[in-house]
Amino acid sequence: MSNVTPFPAPNGQQQGQVGFDRLELQRIMDLYGRMVAAGHWRDYTMDLGREAAIFSAFRRSAERPEYRIEKRPALRNRQGMWTLVGEAGHVLKRGQELQGILAPVERKLMRIVED
């Protein structure tokens, strides 16, 4: 009676969810904080699923996200597991490292601060 048997994963899929590690989340939240301080972003969401971890940044919470930062480990050996997606849903940048993916957003932040 005290034995607990977990349900098997359907079709041999891995169980669990994809997430951001501490350094990745620190880097993303640092950028988010600077964009909030500049008055450009006001809200964010995180979606941690089985296939991807997604961080979305919003100008206003009632709109579509201005940027989505996606981590998809299944694409690690192909296109790179990091993707920067724009407001219209277009892929702006893909790569192996988070720093390279955040570079276009950081350049935009520098233009905001200069104005």
Side-chain angles (χ1 to χ4, degrees):
M1 279 293 206
S2 64
N3 292 341
V4 177
T5 305
F7 287 111
N11 300 328
Q13 293 177 349
Q14 295 179 357
Q15 293 184 8
Q17 68 183 31
V18 177
F20 299 109
D21 67 29
R22 185 181 198 132
L23 293 175
E24 295 165 349
L25 190 57
Q26 181 179 4
R27 177 111 177 135
I28 292 169
M29 292 306 289
D30 178 55
L31 175 62
Y32 174 77
R34 289 184 285 146
M35 292 295 272
V36 168
H40 195 66
W41 289 348
R42 294 189 179 189
D43 200 5
Y44 74 91
T45 62
M46 283 196 296
D47 180 23
L48 306 175
R50 290 179 184 255
E51 296 178 7
I54 302 171
F55 180 91
S56 303
F58 297 83
R59 283 186 228 144
R60 291 175 203 85
S61 58
E63 294 181 350
R64 288 184 282 180
E66 183 177 7
Y67 290 106
R68 283 192 337 249
I69 301 163
E70 299 182 359
K71 177 183 179 181
R72 295 183 183 273
L75 298 177
R76 174 180 286 135
N77 295 329
R78 295 183 196 145
Q79 310 165 29
M81 72 176 170
W82 293 100
T83 307
L84 179 66
V85 181
E87 188 171 5
H90 295 101
V91 173
L92 302 175
K93 191 155 181 148
R94 281 198 170 117
Q96 298 290 343
E97 296 182 7
L98 178 60
Q99 183 176 0
I101 298 304
L102 297 180
V105 182
E106 291 178 346
R107 278 193 296 270
K108 184 175 182 176
L109 176 65
M110 288 185 186
R111 281 186 289 224
I112 292 170
V113 172
E114 289 175 0
D115 292 340

